[in-house]
Amino acid sequence: MTVPTIALNNGKTIPQLGFGVFQIDPDETKDATLAALEVGYRHIDTAEMYGNEKGVGEAVRESGLARDEIFVTSKLNNGFHAHDDALKAFDESLDALGFDYLDLFLIHWPLPGIDVTFVETWKALEEVYASGRARSIGVSNFQPKHLRRLLQETDVVPAVNQIEVHPFLTQDDVRAANAEHGIATEAWSPIAQGLVLDNPTITNIAAEHGKTPAQVVLRWHVQRGDIVFPKSVTKERVEENFAIFDFELSDGEIAMVSALNKDERTGPNPDEFNYIP
């Protein structure tokens, strides 16, 4: 089964479906990632904050696949937003992964209330991008106002903005701001940590297609153009999440799922979140 790719604004491409390792125990990450690669995933999303970059790197090396066949993302930890700290943290990510380059490196959170501005942080990422050690750079959890400031004060437009998106939080305003500037939208918590799976609208659509509710929601993301990377340590669920390209939702079904929006987050509000570990 071939996973579609999304063209980024710098000429690179990214598989639209990936495998996320958020909250996977570092001791289990290698095996979980290897299982995903065996199923067919070629896009892995990790972060410094998750503490499991090493396991991702080990899995990539043990998979037997060429490095350039696998798209790997990591993200800057919140405690390293100062310019020199960000450069050092990027080097440490590469060391943990055992890679010469990352396909994508993100600012994990804008942290609007700290002394260091995300503009300073982004300028450090621009240096990493210019060096070729990050093939693309982007942001995560940035609101439209954060994007506007970044675009006004820096040179490189983010390739992606990774935000919380699911049927209960469609984020149409942020997705529109991304699209306006050619920034791809990545969706984290795509099934709202399972909260959407019992919704009657979704279960009815799933029954119509002979699919699971999770498959319907992931298909909704894909047809809306989001990049999505569900997480599971269960082989059957990993396979299930991958089997979403043999059916299509109608325009009406997509609209029905989108109408479930209630601006309900499962994670922090980026306008208020300033956590530094």
Side-chain angles (χ1 to χ4, degrees):
M1 191 175 298
T2 301
V3 175
T5 59
I6 296 288
L8 301 178
N9 58 20
N10 63 351
K12 304 295 184 182
T13 59
I14 182 172
Q16 195 174 8
L17 176 67
F19 179 72
V21 299
F22 176 56
Q23 294 181 332
I24 296 182
D25 188 289
D27 292 336
E28 299 178 7
T29 300
K30 183 183 78 170
D31 289 344
T33 304
L34 273 172
L37 293 172
E38 290 170 2
V39 168
Y41 292 83
R42 295 295 181 266
H43 170 188
I44 309 297
D45 183 274
T46 183
E48 292 174 356
M49 191 180 294
Y50 305 164
N52 55 19
E53 291 171 309
K54 181 181 178 182
V56 169
E58 290 173 344
V60 170
R61 283 186 293 280
E62 293 185 22
S63 69
L65 297 165
R67 170 67 185 90
D68 61 6
E69 293 183 56
I70 305 171
F71 191 105
V72 180
T73 300
S74 194
K75 312 175 194 75
L76 180 71
N77 209 341
N78 290 350
F80 305 117
H81 270 222
H83 177 274
D84 291 350
D85 292 342
L87 294 178
K88 182 180 178 183
F90 177 80
D91 289 341
E92 291 174 350
S93 271
L94 283 188
D95 287 344
L97 288 157
F99 293 165
D100 295 325
Y101 70 92
L102 267 168
D103 296 279
L104 178 63
F105 193 61
L106 309 178
I107 298 178
H108 206 153
W109 290 89
L111 305 180
I114 70 171
D115 292 338
V116 180
T117 71
F118 52 77
V119 171
E120 176 181 337
T121 313
W122 185 249
K123 289 180 178 179
L125 265 64
E126 287 182 324
E127 293 178 30
V128 170
Y129 178 55
S131 76
R133 294 180 302 144
R135 302 290 172 86
S136 301
I137 54 175
V139 295
S140 183
N141 301 300
F142 273 47
Q143 303 281 62
K145 63 182 179 183
H146 303 140
L147 293 175
R148 285 193 296 269
R149 181 175 179 188
L150 207 62
L151 294 169
Q152 289 167 358
E153 300 183 32
T154 64
D155 297 321
V156 178
V157 178
V160 307
N161 185 13
Q162 186 180 122
I163 57 175
E164 181 178 357
V165 181
H166 47 73
F168 292 167
L169 183 72
T170 55
Q171 294 265 50
D172 292 336
D173 58 337
V174 185
R175 294 176 73 254
N178 291 343
E180 179 183 354
H181 300 290
I183 301 169
T185 296
E186 294 191 323
W188 64 261
S189 194
I191 60 173
Q193 299 184 24
L195 296 176
V196 301
L197 300 183
D198 293 330
N199 180 273
T201 296
I202 292 171
T203 57
N204 288 341
I205 293 172
E208 286 291 325
H209 289 274
K211 291 290 184 178
T212 68
Q215 287 172 320
V216 166
V217 175
L218 294 175
R219 184 68 201 180
W220 170 80
H221 281 285
V222 166
Q223 288 186 225
R224 294 200 331 151
D226 298 340
I227 300 160
V228 65
F229 35 90
K231 181 268 294 184
S232 179
V233 294
T234 305
K235 183 73 176 288
E236 292 77 11
R237 184 63 56 82
V238 172
E239 293 172 342
E240 173 189 315
N241 291 341
F242 194 74
I244 61 171
F245 300 106
D246 57 353
F247 76 107
E248 287 190 4
L249 302 178
S250 68
D251 290 345
E253 289 170 331
I254 291 173
M256 289 167 63
V257 176
S258 299
L260 299 175
N261 178 58
K262 46 188 175 179
D263 295 329
E264 182 177 281
R265 296 183 181 275
T266 66
N269 185 331
D271 286 326
E272 302 168 355
F273 186 68
N274 291 297
Y275 171 72
I276 296 178

